[in-house]
Amino acid sequence: MNTIDRREIAQGVHFSAVRDSRFKTMKINAVALIPLERDTVSSYALLSQVLTRSCKEYPDFTALSKKLSSLYGASLAGGVRKIGEMLALTFSVS
């Protein structure tokens, strides 16, 4: 059975959940829409890559990769794309 739930959790911030009993994998996507500006577009492109490669607790890609593998093969991805005059900064975990 499919259910779709969409809630506004803050002004301009929405949470959408799609549940389907046919699947056992959970996926979380976070998308930030940012005005496209010449001065910041490169920084955001780098930010998406840096945040998916390391963090304070896992300071290099190898340590982060080992942790994700121990979580039943979890995956972490990031990306940037242009949508009209906006920049979509995306992070995904499954």
Side-chain angles (χ1 to χ4, degrees):
M1 171 155 182
N2 295 342
T3 60
I4 299 174
D5 184 23
R6 182 172 169 91
R7 298 179 188 172
E8 186 172 18
I9 57 176
Q11 185 176 358
V13 179
H14 294 85
F15 175 78
S16 300
V18 179
R19 296 170 195 228
D20 193 329
S21 59
R22 298 176 296 172
F23 303 105
K24 61 181 180 177
T25 302
M26 185 183 307
K27 185 171 187 175
I28 299 170
N29 287 330
V31 180
L33 295 175
I34 303 162
L36 189 60
E37 296 176 7
R38 182 173 293 225
D39 298 339
T40 59
V41 69
S42 315
S43 299
Y44 287 123
L46 287 172
L47 178 66
S48 71
Q49 296 304 310
V50 169
L51 291 178
T52 58
R53 299 287 184 244
S54 64
C55 63
K56 185 177 181 179
E57 193 166 335
Y58 305 101
D60 58 32
F61 182 69
T62 303
L64 181 61
S65 183
K66 284 180 182 178
K67 180 60 178 178
L68 290 171
S69 292
S70 74
L71 296 171
Y72 303 99
S75 66
L76 174 65
V80 176
R81 67 175 190 248
K82 181 179 181 267
I83 302 175
E85 293 301 315
M86 301 296 282
L87 189 70
L89 183 61
T90 306
F91 296 98
S92 179
V93 179
S94 67

